[in-house]
Amino acid sequence: MKYHLVRKNLTYLIGPLNEVKLRAYLVGEDVDLNDEIAGSCGKWVRLGDTGRLQKYYPHIHKFMDSRSKSWNMSIHSGTPTVLAKKTSWKSLALPVLAALFLVCAAIFLWNYKSVFDGNALPNQDPYNAAVKKYNINRFKSLVHDIDKELDSWKDLEVDQLVRRQNLWLPIIRSAAFASQALENRYKTILPEPTPLPSLGKCRREDIRQQIRSEGVGDMFEQPFSRDSSIAKLLLWDPQWVKRRKEQGWGKPQNRYEACLVRVKQALESLPPSTLQNQVLLRVNKMLQIIDSSFFKVSPSRYKSDEKVHSFFGVLSCIESANSKSTLVSCSTSGFEGDKLEYLKWRADMRLAWIGAMQGQFVQKYDHFFNQMQKITSLPHVYQPELRLLNELKTGSSLPKAIEAAEALDENFRL
Amino acid sequence: MQLRMIGDSHVGRRRKVNQDSIFYDAKLGFGVVCDGIGGRAAGDKASSLVVDFLQHSYRQSTKIAQADTVPYIIDSINQANLTVLERSKTDEATLGMGTTVNCLAFRGDKLFLGHVGDSRTYLYYRGHLFQLTMDHSVEEFSKRGWLSQAVLNRNPKKDALVRAIGLFQNLDVDVIEIRLREKFIFLTCSDGLSGMVTDKRILDLMRKHEGELEKLPEILIKEANRMGGDDNITVMLSQVV
């Protein structure tokens, strides 16, 4: 009896599965073409990598082929994995390749610098290799897969959503980075070639459709809906984005801010509409908070917002509050159900941060802290923020907590 | 489910100092294997520091809920990393020290495996062997397309580590989770074993001596030495009974 092990997101293992159970898994709802499979003493092969699957596990390849599974690439819902073998080297003749290798090896050995010289090896997004090859069809399928991934988030709770975003954005960044290699029609949506991330649906037609669709409309008027990728982005906490500095980024300071910039640019390129203006207003508010320029905007301008009592208006109010009294003025009346719960949670978080900034972190904010712990205690978490919160919770003074956070990243800011 | 654990470490045939460290406690349901980075100073100090840190930390954290084990492991390995970085600055002899880590926490019906570097954990089950951890090496990352050519050009050494404790302040920790079954045997080892003995050979030996867990560390170490013993060899076995 043969057994195989399945790996999801590079972290969660299922099995070992015998042949019957493996087949059941492969036709089940949980299967993802980015799942990897391994046999005894075998290589880990992604289910969507048909070439390697056929080579190493022909019986599995045959089974999946016979079930007419889609062989298009799929976005991994967790940590990015490579989606394609590098093919560039295969196009070179072997002798040339060997000669090049020897020459390079000689040069590199001569100039060898230990990898342990303290310089971080950059964590390359996996799509870079593929999209650099100016393969428009490939990019289209990547964006399609990004859309599919967004669609799969429909039933996630907010904190699960944030976790998925944490893991998903590097993929988007990589795909967007290739914009310079694309057809002209994409250039009108995507900004100048810079290593900026992008929301999957930054195509003109898709954004227009999206803001007209139920998703974003619902965010403003009807029961809470998470069907919209734009809506998900609008829920991000700009204060959290503001606190996060990622290595290699200047301005924008991290991938989240960059993502917001991309959406803003995409929205601004479209013909104006009321709904689009509201979304743009929210995105601008978020960017202002991140940039700290929000406080240069006079309160009267904010209050002239068409939908001051709209969901995002209240959210922006909460996020920009720097004192308890200002926070209290952000009225949540008129909201109910999960919208109200969400607003209360965000207000709770903001109150705790206001207290922290004033050196008055109160132990009673367990709910807030537990939420933050769940969201931030993940791979790719921003460690300085986690350290700051831990220090405050255990009773350190604010200056000491900041010092501890800065010890991890001198660019961290409260 | 009950747990049995056993392990051993050997300097190998070519090295003078054993830079590997090991800890295991079946009652605690916790084990750690660390391999100090050769080519850097004080690898043995780094590995023993991390083993001590993690086992002490774990002893004080046994009441953590199963659902919180993943963030706990990530946090404690990160803390260990910072401790090593801090300690490495105190003495020229320890400057730049580093180590790999594989730590196994058995909580309830699951194993949580924290991993950084190229030490490995395998799962042996009914005559099958699966490598659970992915090597954090230039070779593995470049195979997956995670390193650009420019980076590869700067780091041609294929077995160089891209992640290890003591290298950088920000550390990415892999945590692998698997539901336990009876007859699972986890083999955790430094690359002194996996670099010298093929997976197939390891499998053959485990099949042959499956019922003699207490002898397996010695058998595997002996095989690694027989194949050259170029590096320190550490083996830890955890069996679910």
Side-chain angles (χ1 to χ4, degrees), chain B residues 1-3 108-110 179-184 239-241:
Chain B
M1 284 185 232
Q2 301 285 326
L3 188 64
D109 62 342
K110 287 188 179 178
R179 198 169 291 277
L180 297 171
R181 284 186 208 171
E182 247 181 77
K183 299 191 184 185
F184 270 8
Q239 183 183 39
V240 181
V241 293

Side-chain angles (χ1 to χ4, degrees), chain A residues 244-273:
Chain A
R244 187 181 178 116
K245 179 79 177 78
E246 291 183 347
Q247 190 178 25
W249 291 85
K251 182 69 183 168
Q253 64 178 0
N254 56 49
R255 65 194 73 191
Y256 303 96
E257 185 183 354
C259 197
L260 285 165
V261 169
R262 291 295 280 270
V263 171
K264 174 185 156 146
Q265 288 168 335
L267 287 169
E268 284 171 344
S269 72
L270 293 173
S273 71

Side-chain angles (χ1 to χ4, degrees), chain A residues 318-347:
Chain A
I318 290 170
E319 287 155 358
S320 59
N322 267 347
S323 68
K324 194 175 174 183
S325 54
T326 314
L327 192 60
V328 165
S329 73
C330 305
S331 171
T332 57
S333 64
F335 294 101
E336 52 188 27
D338 51 2
K339 262 187 175 170
L340 179 61
E341 192 186 320
Y342 185 78
L343 287 172
K344 278 184 175 173
W345 174 54
R346 290 290 280 267

Side-chain angles (χ1 to χ4, degrees), chain A residues 2-6 36-45 56-57 59-60, chain B residues 128-131:
Chain A
K2 267 190 187 169
Y3 284 88
H4 293 81
L5 206 53
V6 173
E36 293 173 297
I37 196 155
S40 183
C41 292
K43 295 185 186 296
W44 284 97
V45 175
Y56 295 109
Y57 305 109
H59 55 293
I60 297 174
Chain B
H128 293 66
L129 189 73
F130 306 95
Q131 183 183 340

Side-chain angles (χ1 to χ4, degrees), chain B residues 34-46:
Chain B
C34 289
D35 176 2
I37 295 175
R40 283 202 164 197
D44 53 332
K45 288 195 173 57

Side-chain angles (χ1 to χ4, degrees), chain A residues 131-304:
Chain A
V131 296
K132 268 180 194 169
K133 294 180 74 60
Y134 198 79
N135 184 333
I136 183 60
N137 289 325
R138 172 137 185 120
F139 183 79
K140 280 183 190 172
S141 75
L142 287 174
V143 178
H144 167 73
D145 291 328
I146 289 165
D147 293 349
K148 248 175 86 177
E149 165 65 2
L150 293 175
D151 286 343
S152 75
W153 291 7
K154 278 178 193 168
D155 297 321
L156 290 179
E157 297 302 317
V158 171
D159 57 347
Q160 287 174 313
L161 187 67
V162 174
R163 284 179 210 175
R164 293 286 274 269
Q165 285 171 347
N166 281 346
L167 296 169
W168 171 71
L169 276 168
I171 299 172
I172 298 303
R173 172 171 165 263
S174 187
F177 183 51
S179 64
Q180 60 189 317
L182 301 178
E183 287 178 25
N184 285 338
R185 70 185 177 104
Y186 287 95
K187 283 182 185 173
T188 56
I189 294 292
L190 301 170
E192 291 303 307
T194 51
L196 291 180
S198 169
L199 205 60
K201 292 191 174 182
C202 266
R203 293 182 291 247
R204 183 190 294 264
E205 295 80 10
D206 288 326
I207 288 184
R208 184 184 292 126
Q209 187 186 349
Q210 190 126 38
I211 61 178
R212 278 184 191 157
S213 72
E214 294 179 342
V216 176
D218 275 353
M219 294 298 298
F220 287 88
E221 302 298 340
Q222 291 172 28
F224 204 64
S225 166
R226 299 187 184 92
D227 286 347
S228 159
S229 54
I230 301 272
K232 287 161 194 164
L233 176 138
L234 298 178
L235 284 175
W236 288 357
D237 183 352
Q239 295 285 359
W240 185 87
V241 173
K242 177 183 164 181
R243 285 191 292 271
R244 187 181 178 116
K245 179 79 177 78
E246 291 183 347
Q247 190 178 25
W249 291 85
K251 182 69 183 168
Q253 64 178 0
N254 56 49
R255 65 194 73 191
Y256 303 96
E257 185 183 354
C259 197
L260 285 165
V261 169
R262 291 295 280 270
V263 171
K264 174 185 156 146
Q265 288 168 335
L267 287 169
E268 284 171 344
S269 72
L270 293 173
S273 71
T274 304
L275 205 51
Q276 183 215 346
N277 285 343
Q278 288 167 356
V279 176
L280 196 50
L281 192 66
R282 167 63 182 166
V283 171
N284 279 332
K285 290 282 190 299
M286 292 170 78
L287 285 168
Q288 284 165 347
I289 290 171
I290 292 164
D291 196 32
S292 300
S293 62
F294 180 83
F295 306 108
K296 295 176 191 164
V297 175
S298 66
S300 57
R301 186 171 162 181
Y302 175 78
K303 279 179 183 165
S304 70

Side-chain angles (χ1 to χ4, degrees), chain A residues 1-5 7 10-17 36 38-44 79-84 86 89 104 108-109 112-126 129 132 247 373 377-381 383-384 386-387 390 406-409, chain B residues 37-40 68 70-72 74-75 78-79 82 110 123 125-134 138 141-149 151-157 160-164 167-179 181 184 199-200 203 207:
Chain A
M1 170 82 66
K2 267 190 187 169
Y3 284 88
H4 293 81
L5 206 53
R7 183 163 68 187
L10 289 176
T11 54
Y12 187 72
L13 296 169
I14 300 171
L17 303 173
E36 293 173 297
S40 183
C41 292
K43 295 185 186 296
W44 284 97
T79 311
T81 57
V82 71
L83 295 189
K86 288 182 163 198
W89 289 24
C104 290
F108 300 144
L109 281 170
Y112 177 74
K113 197 175 178 192
S114 168
V115 71
F116 306 123
D117 61 0
N119 294 323
L121 287 171
N123 206 3
Q124 293 294 306
D125 293 319
K132 268 180 194 169
Q247 190 178 25
Q373 198 79 16
S377 298
L378 291 166
H380 312 294
V381 67
Q383 289 297 325
L386 185 60
R387 171 58 72 85
N390 278 325
E406 284 173 351
L408 298 184
D409 182 351
Chain B
I37 295 175
R40 283 202 164 197
D68 296 327
V70 170
Y72 164 75
I74 293 170
D75 188 52
N78 269 291
Q79 294 294 325
L82 294 173
K110 287 188 179 178
L123 165 63
Y125 179 69
R126 292 184 187 249
H128 293 66
L129 189 73
F130 306 95
Q131 183 183 340
L132 302 186
T133 53
M134 177 178 66
V138 167
F141 272 47
S142 66
K143 268 192 220 165
R144 288 175 173 268
W146 291 350
L147 295 178
S148 69
Q149 196 50 52
V151 170
L152 284 174
N153 293 345
R154 287 200 302 275
N155 304 281
K157 210 173 164 200
L161 292 178
V162 300
R163 287 193 218 164
L167 294 189
F168 318 116
Q169 271 200 336
N170 294 323
L171 183 63
D172 255 337
V173 179
D174 285 353
V175 181
I176 293 154
E177 191 178 322
I178 184 170
R179 198 169 291 277
R181 284 186 208 171
F184 270 8
D199 287 358
K200 286 206 162 62
L203 175 61
R207 272 179 181 157

